[in-house]
Structure formats: structure tokens, C-alpha cells
Amino acid sequence: MSNPTLQVIVASTRPRRVGRMVADYIGERLADHGGFDIEMVDLAEVSLPLLDEPHHPRLGRYEHEHTKAWSATISRGDAYLIVMPEYNHSFSAPLKNALDYLNTEWRGKPVAVASYGGISGGTRAAAAITEVLVTLGMIVSSVGIAIPMVQSHLADGRFTGYPQADHTIEATHAALLELTHGRNAG
Ligand SMILES: Cc1cc2nc3c(=O)[nH]c(=O)nc-3n(C[C@H](O)[C@H](O)[C@H](O)COP(=O)(O)O)c2cc1C
């Protein structure tokens, strides 16, 4: 039997972002732990315009090719890890936009959050997005990752990691695996 697909969603899209480096590191560690096929979903590459569909997404009556492609991408995910920065104590606009585009594609699927930022580790942004994820009917993991002072863990164009981060990545992987198998068994 093939592994379920865990999509790592990169929620920062700006030039010179650190988000992709953080996501690449987390994706590698998640792959090391096994049990999932890891797929990177980078919102900078997806490049959705601001929501421009005329119908409510729960109807699935998508008119634009970019929405149909986004729907197909998210539909093949069995679980998600959102790697997100904190902007002004909340989530990034591209992330909210990407979530709003779809509805049933998200519903009932496990999700965890990896936030990063300054001293708070992006935890205010993680708390804010949780309400959105619950509203979409997702199964939100109570275990997640928070990376404070993210800029101090970068070298040579990479996120370098540290033991506590590795520990929380492992715990989050275990939680997502349990939620995913619980869902498939139910
Ligand atoms: C518009 C903006 C708002 C920010 N607001 C916060 C904030 O509220 N809390 C925080 O810890 N860091 C904040 N930062 C600093 C970010 O944590 C830091 O720039 C980080 O690198 C952003 O992630 P990114 O490079 O992947 O976009 C902010 C950065 C930007 C660009």
C-alpha cells in the first residue's frame, strides 16, 4: 500500500523570504521519519491571484484554470503541514487567500502548523489560523512547531535547525500520522 501524501505548504511568497528554507528543512526531517510521501506546495509557485471565483467554493463550480489546478493539487493531499510566518501578529495574506479558494478539498483532513518569527515564534499567527482551519472543517493537530528568532538559524542559504526544532518536528510528524490513519480507519 502506498504512503499517504503529506503536503508541506509554504505560506510566505515574498522575495528574500526565509519560509522556503524553513519548509525545505522541515520537509527533509518529515521524510526521514517515514510513513508519508512528502510533497512541497509553495504558494509563491502556485501564484494564485486574489480570490476571483464568482461562486462559493463549497459548490466546486470553479471557472478559472488556476482554481481547478489548485483544487487538483490540494485534493491529492491526505494531510498538510502549513509552514507560515507571522506578519503583524497574524497569518500571511497569501495563505488566507489560498485557503479561501477551496472548501471540500480541505474538509476532514488533518493539518498541523509550523510557525516562525521573532521572539514569539509566530504563535499568534498560528493561533489566528487555527480558527480558519477549524471553520474549514479540518482536523487541527494540537501538536505543532514554533520557531522563534528564525533569522538566527540561517547559514549559507539554509535553515540550520536545532535540537528543540527537530524534537517538535518529530512530535508533529507522529501526531499527523496518527490523525491520518485514524481518519482512514474511520
Ligand atoms: C510585513 C511583516 C510583518 C511582520 N510582523 C511580524 C510579527 O508580527 N511578529 C514577528 O515575530 N515577526 C514579524 N515579522 C518578521 C518576520 O518574522 C521575518 O521577517 C520573517 O523572515 C518572515 O518570514 P518570511 O521571510 O518567510 O516572509 C514581520 C515581517 C514582515 C515582512
Side-chain angles (χ1 to χ4, degrees):
M1 216 171 74
S2 62
N3 286 331
T5 296
L6 172 57
Q7 293 183 327
V8 178
I9 298 177
V10 187
S12 167
T13 60
R14 67 189 187 94
R16 303 185 63 180
R17 64 198 170 139
V18 306
R20 182 63 200 235
M21 293 182 240
V22 175
D24 283 341
Y25 181 90
I26 292 175
E28 287 164 16
R29 297 291 81 72
L30 292 171
D32 290 344
H33 294 304
F36 286 113
D37 291 338
I38 306 297
E39 178 183 352
M40 300 301 291
V41 177
D42 188 335
L43 295 186
E45 293 165 5
V46 175
S47 197
L48 288 165
L50 285 176
L51 181 59
D52 60 355
E53 286 289 341
H55 306 294
H56 194 292
R58 71 169 171 268
L59 302 173
R61 289 170 58 194
Y62 303 133
E63 295 200 348
H64 298 294
E65 287 308 314
H66 55 254
T67 315
K68 292 173 187 169
W70 180 230
S71 172
T73 296
I74 293 307
S75 293
R76 64 174 178 262
D78 297 298
Y80 310 93
L81 178 71
I82 299 174
V83 180
M84 57 182 291
E86 177 170 286
Y87 293 158
N88 297 314
H89 294 193
S90 193
F91 42 75
S92 69
L95 174 61
K96 180 64 161 55
N97 187 52
L99 289 165
D100 289 344
Y101 254 97
L102 307 178
N103 185 278
T104 56
E105 296 86 342
W106 303 114
R107 195 181 302 156
K109 294 187 188 168
V111 61
V113 171
S115 64
Y116 57 89
I119 193 77
S120 75
T123 49
R124 293 164 296 210
I129 205 67
T130 295
E131 191 173 332
V132 178
L133 302 174
V134 168
T135 301
L136 284 166
M138 304 186 80
I139 305 169
V140 184
S141 169
S142 59
V143 181
I145 302 157
I147 300 171
M149 310 309 287
V150 66
Q151 303 283 349
S152 63
H153 300 290
L154 308 176
D156 302 324
R158 292 183 64 81
F159 177 73
T160 53
Y162 52 96
Q164 184 65 23
D166 290 348
H167 177 72
T168 56
I169 293 167
E170 185 175 4
T172 302
H173 172 273
L176 283 172
L177 204 55
E178 190 177 321
L179 290 173
T180 302
H181 287 301
R183 175 175 181 259
N184 291 341

mmCIF file with all atom_site columns, all heavy atoms in Angstrom, residues 168-179:
data_model
loop_
_atom_site.group_PDB
_atom_site.id
_atom_site.type_symbol
_atom_site.label_atom_id
_atom_site.label_alt_id
_atom_site.label_comp_id
_atom_site.label_asym_id
_atom_site.label_entity_id
_atom_site.label_seq_id
_atom_site.pdbx_PDB_ins_code
_atom_site.Cartn_x
_atom_site.Cartn_y
_atom_site.Cartn_z
_atom_site.occupancy
_atom_site.B_iso_or_equiv
_atom_site.pdbx_formal_charge
_atom_site.auth_seq_id
_atom_site.auth_comp_id
_atom_site.auth_asym_id
_atom_site.auth_atom_id
_atom_site.pdbx_PDB_model_num
ATOM 1  N N   . THR A 1 168 ? 10.262 18.868 17.982 1.00 0.00 ? 168 THR A N   1
ATOM 2  C CA  . THR A 1 168 ? 8.860  19.205 17.696 1.00 0.00 ? 168 THR A CA  1
ATOM 3  C C   . THR A 1 168 ? 8.447  18.740 16.303 1.00 0.00 ? 168 THR A C   1
ATOM 4  O O   . THR A 1 168 ? 7.284  18.413 16.080 1.00 0.00 ? 168 THR A O   1
ATOM 5  C CB  . THR A 1 168 ? 8.589  20.713 17.885 1.00 0.00 ? 168 THR A CB  1
ATOM 6  O OG1 . THR A 1 168 ? 9.494  21.466 17.073 1.00 0.00 ? 168 THR A OG1 1
ATOM 7  C CG2 . THR A 1 168 ? 8.745  21.128 19.329 1.00 0.00 ? 168 THR A CG2 1
ATOM 8  N N   . ILE A 1 169 ? 9.393  18.706 15.368 1.00 0.00 ? 169 ILE A N   1
ATOM 9  C CA  . ILE A 1 169 ? 9.068  18.174 14.039 1.00 0.00 ? 169 ILE A CA  1
ATOM 10 C C   . ILE A 1 169 ? 8.703  16.684 14.163 1.00 0.00 ? 169 ILE A C   1
ATOM 11 O O   . ILE A 1 169 ? 7.727  16.215 13.578 1.00 0.00 ? 169 ILE A O   1
ATOM 12 C CB  . ILE A 1 169 ? 10.248 18.370 13.056 1.00 0.00 ? 169 ILE A CB  1
ATOM 13 C CG1 . ILE A 1 169 ? 10.459 19.863 12.768 1.00 0.00 ? 169 ILE A CG1 1
ATOM 14 C CG2 . ILE A 1 169 ? 9.993  17.602 11.752 1.00 0.00 ? 169 ILE A CG2 1
ATOM 15 C CD1 . ILE A 1 169 ? 11.772 20.179 12.060 1.00 0.00 ? 169 ILE A CD1 1
ATOM 16 N N   . GLU A 1 170 ? 9.490  15.961 14.961 1.00 0.00 ? 170 GLU A N   1
ATOM 17 C CA  . GLU A 1 170 ? 9.217  14.533 15.148 1.00 0.00 ? 170 GLU A CA  1
ATOM 18 C C   . GLU A 1 170 ? 7.848  14.328 15.805 1.00 0.00 ? 170 GLU A C   1
ATOM 19 O O   . GLU A 1 170 ? 7.060  13.457 15.390 1.00 0.00 ? 170 GLU A O   1
ATOM 20 C CB  . GLU A 1 170 ? 10.324 13.907 16.012 1.00 0.00 ? 170 GLU A CB  1
ATOM 21 C CG  . GLU A 1 170 ? 10.173 12.403 16.159 1.00 0.00 ? 170 GLU A CG  1
ATOM 22 C CD  . GLU A 1 170 ? 11.342 11.779 16.912 1.00 0.00 ? 170 GLU A CD  1
ATOM 23 O OE1 . GLU A 1 170 ? 12.234 12.521 17.377 1.00 0.00 ? 170 GLU A OE1 1
ATOM 24 O OE2 . GLU A 1 170 ? 11.350 10.540 17.034 1.00 0.00 ? 170 GLU A OE2 1
ATOM 25 N N   . ALA A 1 171 ? 7.552  15.146 16.817 1.00 0.00 ? 171 ALA A N   1
ATOM 26 C CA  . ALA A 1 171 ? 6.259  15.012 17.520 1.00 0.00 ? 171 ALA A CA  1
ATOM 27 C C   . ALA A 1 171 ? 5.097  15.368 16.584 1.00 0.00 ? 171 ALA A C   1
ATOM 28 O O   . ALA A 1 171 ? 4.038  14.725 16.617 1.00 0.00 ? 171 ALA A O   1
ATOM 29 C CB  . ALA A 1 171 ? 6.246  15.913 18.755 1.00 0.00 ? 171 ALA A CB  1
ATOM 30 N N   . THR A 1 172 ? 5.299  16.360 15.759 1.00 0.00 ? 172 THR A N   1
ATOM 31 C CA  . THR A 1 172 ? 4.242  16.774 14.823 1.00 0.00 ? 172 THR A CA  1
ATOM 32 C C   . THR A 1 172 ? 4.034  15.703 13.759 1.00 0.00 ? 172 THR A C   1
ATOM 33 O O   . THR A 1 172 ? 2.894  15.403 13.364 1.00 0.00 ? 172 THR A O   1
ATOM 34 C CB  . THR A 1 172 ? 4.609  18.130 14.190 1.00 0.00 ? 172 THR A CB  1
ATOM 35 O OG1 . THR A 1 172 ? 4.786  19.089 15.237 1.00 0.00 ? 172 THR A OG1 1
ATOM 36 C CG2 . THR A 1 172 ? 3.534  18.607 13.231 1.00 0.00 ? 172 THR A CG2 1
ATOM 37 N N   . HIS A 1 173 ? 5.120  15.121 13.283 1.00 0.00 ? 173 HIS A N   1
ATOM 38 C CA  . HIS A 1 173 ? 5.020  14.014 12.329 1.00 0.00 ? 173 HIS A CA  1
ATOM 39 C C   . HIS A 1 173 ? 4.192  12.875 12.925 1.00 0.00 ? 173 HIS A C   1
ATOM 40 O O   . HIS A 1 173 ? 3.288  12.330 12.276 1.00 0.00 ? 173 HIS A O   1
ATOM 41 C CB  . HIS A 1 173 ? 6.432  13.533 11.973 1.00 0.00 ? 173 HIS A CB  1
ATOM 42 C CG  . HIS A 1 173 ? 6.450  12.287 11.160 1.00 0.00 ? 173 HIS A CG  1
ATOM 43 N ND1 . HIS A 1 173 ? 6.429  11.025 11.721 1.00 0.00 ? 173 HIS A ND1 1
ATOM 44 C CD2 . HIS A 1 173 ? 6.455  12.091 9.817  1.00 0.00 ? 173 HIS A CD2 1
ATOM 45 C CE1 . HIS A 1 173 ? 6.441  10.124 10.766 1.00 0.00 ? 173 HIS A CE1 1
ATOM 46 N NE2 . HIS A 1 173 ? 6.449  10.727 9.596  1.00 0.00 ? 173 HIS A NE2 1
ATOM 47 N N   . ALA A 1 174 ? 4.492  12.527 14.188 1.00 0.00 ? 174 ALA A N   1
ATOM 48 C CA  . ALA A 1 174 ? 3.765  11.425 14.842 1.00 0.00 ? 174 ALA A CA  1
ATOM 49 C C   . ALA A 1 174 ? 2.277  11.765 14.972 1.00 0.00 ? 174 ALA A C   1
ATOM 50 O O   . ALA A 1 174 ? 1.410  10.908 14.740 1.00 0.00 ? 174 ALA A O   1
ATOM 51 C CB  . ALA A 1 174 ? 4.380  11.149 16.217 1.00 0.00 ? 174 ALA A CB  1
ATOM 52 N N   . ALA A 1 175 ? 1.980  13.006 15.340 1.00 0.00 ? 175 ALA A N   1
ATOM 53 C CA  . ALA A 1 175 ? 0.572  13.416 15.506 1.00 0.00 ? 175 ALA A CA  1
ATOM 54 C C   . ALA A 1 175 ? -0.167 13.367 14.167 1.00 0.00 ? 175 ALA A C   1
ATOM 55 O O   . ALA A 1 175 ? -1.302 12.874 14.088 1.00 0.00 ? 175 ALA A O   1
ATOM 56 C CB  . ALA A 1 175 ? 0.518  14.822 16.097 1.00 0.00 ? 175 ALA A CB  1
ATOM 57 N N   . LEU A 1 176 ? 0.475  13.851 13.109 1.00 0.00 ? 176 LEU A N   1
ATOM 58 C CA  . LEU A 1 176 ? -0.186 13.841 11.790 1.00 0.00 ? 176 LEU A CA  1
ATOM 59 C C   . LEU A 1 176 ? -0.394 12.418 11.279 1.00 0.00 ? 176 LEU A C   1
ATOM 60 O O   . LEU A 1 176 ? -1.431 12.101 10.678 1.00 0.00 ? 176 LEU A O   1
ATOM 61 C CB  . LEU A 1 176 ? 0.644  14.649 10.778 1.00 0.00 ? 176 LEU A CB  1
ATOM 62 C CG  . LEU A 1 176 ? 0.523  16.171 10.890 1.00 0.00 ? 176 LEU A CG  1
ATOM 63 C CD1 . LEU A 1 176 ? 1.531  16.859 9.967  1.00 0.00 ? 176 LEU A CD1 1
ATOM 64 C CD2 . LEU A 1 176 ? -0.902 16.631 10.555 1.00 0.00 ? 176 LEU A CD2 1
ATOM 65 N N   . LEU A 1 177 ? 0.581  11.570 11.555 1.00 0.00 ? 177 LEU A N   1
ATOM 66 C CA  . LEU A 1 177 ? 0.454  10.173 11.125 1.00 0.00 ? 177 LEU A CA  1
ATOM 67 C C   . LEU A 1 177 ? -0.723 9.515  11.832 1.00 0.00 ? 177 LEU A C   1
ATOM 68 O O   . LEU A 1 177 ? -1.544 8.818  11.214 1.00 0.00 ? 177 LEU A O   1
ATOM 69 C CB  . LEU A 1 177 ? 1.761  9.439  11.435 1.00 0.00 ? 177 LEU A CB  1
ATOM 70 C CG  . LEU A 1 177 ? 2.087  8.196  10.612 1.00 0.00 ? 177 LEU A CG  1
ATOM 71 C CD1 . LEU A 1 177 ? 2.067  8.486  9.114  1.00 0.00 ? 177 LEU A CD1 1
ATOM 72 C CD2 . LEU A 1 177 ? 3.449  7.642  11.017 1.00 0.00 ? 177 LEU A CD2 1
ATOM 73 N N   . GLU A 1 178 ? -0.825 9.762  13.129 1.00 0.00 ? 178 GLU A N   1
ATOM 74 C CA  . GLU A 1 178 ? -1.925 9.181  13.910 1.00 0.00 ? 178 GLU A CA  1
ATOM 75 C C   . GLU A 1 178 ? -3.272 9.716  13.416 1.00 0.00 ? 178 GLU A C   1
ATOM 76 O O   . GLU A 1 178 ? -4.224 8.948  13.229 1.00 0.00 ? 178 GLU A O   1
ATOM 77 C CB  . GLU A 1 178 ? -1.719 9.517  15.385 1.00 0.00 ? 178 GLU A CB  1
ATOM 78 C CG  . GLU A 1 178 ? -2.646 8.779  16.314 1.00 0.00 ? 178 GLU A CG  1
ATOM 79 C CD  . GLU A 1 178 ? -2.340 9.110  17.773 1.00 0.00 ? 178 GLU A CD  1
ATOM 80 O OE1 . GLU A 1 178 ? -1.161 9.232  18.144 1.00 0.00 ? 178 GLU A OE1 1
ATOM 81 O OE2 . GLU A 1 178 ? -3.296 9.255  18.532 1.00 0.00 ? 178 GLU A OE2 1
ATOM 82 N N   . LEU A 1 179 ? -3.362 11.011 13.210 1.00 0.00 ? 179 LEU A N   1
ATOM 83 C CA  . LEU A 1 179 ? -4.624 11.601 12.743 1.00 0.00 ? 179 LEU A CA  1
ATOM 84 C C   . LEU A 1 179 ? -4.991 11.078 11.351 1.00 0.00 ? 179 LEU A C   1
ATOM 85 O O   . LEU A 1 179 ? -6.155 10.823 11.056 1.00 0.00 ? 179 LEU A O   1
ATOM 86 C CB  . LEU A 1 179 ? -4.524 13.135 12.712 1.00 0.00 ? 179 LEU A CB  1
ATOM 87 C CG  . LEU A 1 179 ? -4.453 13.838 14.065 1.00 0.00 ? 179 LEU A CG  1
ATOM 88 C CD1 . LEU A 1 179 ? -4.178 15.326 13.878 1.00 0.00 ? 179 LEU A CD1 1
ATOM 89 C CD2 . LEU A 1 179 ? -5.736 13.622 14.865 1.00 0.00 ? 179 LEU A CD2 1
#
